[in-house]
Amino acid sequence: MSPFQTKKTFTGKYLRNLTLYVFIAIIGGVISGHYLPEFSKKLELINFYFFTILEALILPVIFIAIIYGILNLFETKNSKKIILHTAVYFISITSLSIILGLSLGFLIKPGADTGIDLTKIHSTIPKRFEFASGSPDFFSLYNSRYSIFLLISIIIGIIAGKLKSKKLTHILNSGMELFYVVIKYLYIVLPIIIFCNIAYGISVYGINTLLPLSKIVATVYLASLIFIFGILGSLCHFYQLNFREFLISIKDEIILVMTTSSSKTAFPMIFEKLESQGYAKKVIRFLIPLGYNFNLAGACIYISASCMFLVQFYNISMDLQDYFILFLIISITSKTASGVPGSGFLALIFTLEKFGKIPLTDIALLYSVDRFMNEARSVTNFIGIAVSAAIISKLHPLQEDE
């Protein structure tokens, strides 16, 4: 039997119907955004509240999943190897993605000779981003909340692992299953959210904004495609994983991530999908939550390419040391780009604040096309996380679930 023939699950049955509703929502959103722009602009609030609720549910799942994963690792003989392989993989992949974004930005030069007329482009940002430039300390704390939760869960997981409590493992597993059920039923309203998301994007930004900044959008998409099919495809080939079949097996989750502009929406579903394909449950439940913080290749590409755009737009002189410092800063700030739609843009502001050589004067210029780049960023993040889970699990095939 092919490893990609999944069992019949609630998720699979639900998504088969959901995909049709998603496409209907996209068409409806485009029509509404174009013909009813004033109405569509008001729909952002619905989108915002949905992802606020989703974020509140996802955070406990990440917290529980990390503790559960560490507890299971403590019961395996080669847990140190799993942790070592995971660390090396994450560092290597994120480094490659940053270099890729910087390199393509340098070659394509999306910010050079743009001829942009700022008066003709929607150049304002939502109020939730305005505090960033004025109070970087609070901003960094707010934007690092996932990392803080992650570190706390790792510490608790290590302490619990030392205690070797079987009862705690069962309690955590039951807790995760409960949250999964709640989140899945929350997805019943997803077509409405997608409709609002598309309608708002078309009504506010539309094609007139995209054209003048098409080079930066093209740079991000090209870098994402090279990363997915070049780097990840080569890795899968090296580890004898059929990349084409793997992508087909998670196509429903990819569509979901693309249409909601958030990799978080498929968080519970990728667990169930990979586990049903036979990948090690102990490895999956440890690695995927970590990946949502430490393996965000899409965010690395987006931030590095956007920084190159601004360097060229302002004609800033940069030497090798500056690029190295920028590389190190992006390596850190990209870890905060996991959250609701727009978290990647927050991470970009955080990067510029810490780097200091690139002004934030016209940052709204990039926000005007962030909606178009968000899909590439989210999908790249998601596929990168899923592939990492599959590869690390394949490296440790003897990790059997109890």
Side-chain angles (χ1 to χ4, degrees):
M1 187 178 79
S2 168
F4 302 111
Q5 290 177 355
T6 59
K7 299 174 186 177
K8 289 184 178 180
T9 61
F10 171 87
T11 302
K13 183 179 179 181
Y14 177 72
L15 279 175
R16 277 196 297 273
N17 296 322
L18 180 62
T19 303
L20 174 62
Y21 303 145
V22 163
F23 282 113
I24 294 172
I26 292 171
I27 294 169
V30 170
I31 294 170
S32 177
H34 183 72
Y35 291 104
L36 300 169
E38 293 305 317
F39 166 75
S40 299
K41 286 176 184 177
K42 298 175 183 178
L43 298 177
E44 186 193 22
L45 201 60
I46 297 173
N47 206 38
F48 174 76
Y49 282 123
F50 172 81
F51 281 103
T52 300
I53 295 169
L54 182 63
E55 182 182 18
L57 291 171
I58 289 292
L59 273 175
V61 173
I62 293 175
F63 185 78
I64 294 171
I66 286 291
I67 298 173
Y68 179 89
I70 293 174
L71 281 172
N72 277 299
L73 282 183
F74 266 88
E75 297 172 5
T76 63
K77 293 181 180 180
N78 60 341
S79 58
K80 290 182 180 178
K81 284 186 177 180
I82 296 173
I83 294 170
L84 178 62
H85 288 158
T86 300
V88 170
Y89 183 95
F90 283 0
I91 292 170
S92 301
I93 288 296
T94 52
S95 297
L96 281 172
S97 58
I98 294 171
I99 292 169
L100 179 62
L102 291 173
S103 299
L104 281 186
F106 184 79
L107 291 171
I108 298 174
K109 300 187 185 304
D113 302 319
T114 58
I116 291 173
D117 183 355
L118 293 173
T119 62
K120 293 183 179 180
I121 293 179
H122 185 92
S123 55
T124 59
I125 57 175
K127 290 183 179 180
R128 67 178 183 274
F129 296 123
E130 290 177 358
F131 68 86
S133 58
S135 50
D137 292 334
F138 172 74
F139 168 70
S140 60
L141 178 65
Y142 172 80
N143 208 35
S144 301
R145 62 198 182 282
Y146 283 99
S147 300
I148 293 168
F149 263 84
L150 189 68
L151 289 173
I152 293 172
S153 62
I154 289 172
I155 293 168
I156 294 174
I158 292 171
I159 294 171
K162 294 285 186 182
L163 297 174
K164 297 180 179 179
S165 174
K166 290 276 186 182
K167 187 176 181 181
L168 179 60
T169 304
H170 292 302
I171 292 172
L172 290 172
N173 189 52
S174 299
M176 276 194 295
E177 295 299 331
L178 176 62
F179 274 106
Y180 288 168
V181 170
V182 174
I183 292 169
K184 285 173 184 177
Y185 281 104
L186 180 64
Y187 287 171
I188 291 172
V189 299
L190 261 181
I192 298 171
I193 303 305
I194 291 166
F195 167 81
C196 296
N197 192 29
I198 299 295
Y200 174 78
I202 295 293
S203 65
V204 174
Y205 305 114
I207 197 68
N208 293 330
T209 295
L210 179 61
L211 290 176
L213 292 162
S214 57
K215 282 181 74 176
I216 180 59
V217 176
T219 301
V220 171
Y221 271 84
L222 179 59
S224 298
L225 289 171
I226 292 172
F227 175 80
I228 293 169
F229 295 101
I231 296 175
L232 293 184
S234 298
L235 277 172
C236 288
H237 178 74
F238 181 79
Y239 288 107
Q240 299 181 333
L241 181 68
N242 191 313
F243 188 54
R244 180 177 173 276
E245 286 189 15
F246 183 78
L247 288 182
I248 291 172
S249 74
I250 60 170
K251 67 181 186 303
D252 294 321
E253 286 79 8
I254 292 173
I255 291 171
L256 195 60
V257 169
M258 187 182 299
T259 50
T260 57
S261 302
S262 173
S263 56
K264 277 290 194 295
T265 51
F267 182 79
M269 297 179 177
I270 195 61
F271 275 114
E272 190 175 80
K273 181 62 70 70
L274 293 183
E275 287 171 14
S276 69
Q277 291 173 359
Y279 293 104
K281 188 174 183 179
K282 293 177 182 178
V283 177
I284 297 297
R285 295 208 171 187
F286 167 73
L287 197 137
I288 289 179
L290 279 179
Y292 268 91
N293 273 89
F294 296 121
N295 187 28
L296 299 172
C300 291
I301 290 170
Y302 163 77
I303 295 170
S304 54
S306 296
C307 285
M308 288 302 297
F309 169 85
L310 292 170
V311 165
Q312 294 156 6
F313 185 75
Y314 291 113
N315 197 24
I316 298 170
S317 178
M318 297 264 288
D319 56 26
L320 193 60
Q321 183 180 346
D322 290 326
Y323 282 113
F324 180 69
I325 292 170
L326 182 60
F327 171 86
L328 292 178
I329 292 173
I330 295 172
S331 298
I332 297 168
T333 57
S334 61
K335 307 300 182 285
T336 66
S338 177
V340 297
S343 57
F345 185 73
L346 284 168
L348 173 61
I349 298 175
F350 191 18
T351 302
L352 299 178
E353 287 275 4
K354 296 301 179 185
F355 185 54
K357 290 196 70 170
I358 304 173
L360 283 162
T361 311
D362 297 307
I363 189 65
L365 185 66
L366 277 175
Y367 185 75
S368 66
V369 288
D370 184 72
R371 175 64 183 78
F372 299 100
M373 293 188 284
N374 205 10
E375 283 82 0
R377 183 169 69 223
S378 300
V379 170
T380 305
N381 283 340
F382 177 73
I383 294 175
I385 292 164
V387 168
S388 69
I391 288 176
I392 301 297
S393 179
K394 192 174 178 65
L395 283 172
H396 302 277
L398 299 179
Q399 301 303 306
E400 298 294 337
D401 301 322
E402 294 183 351

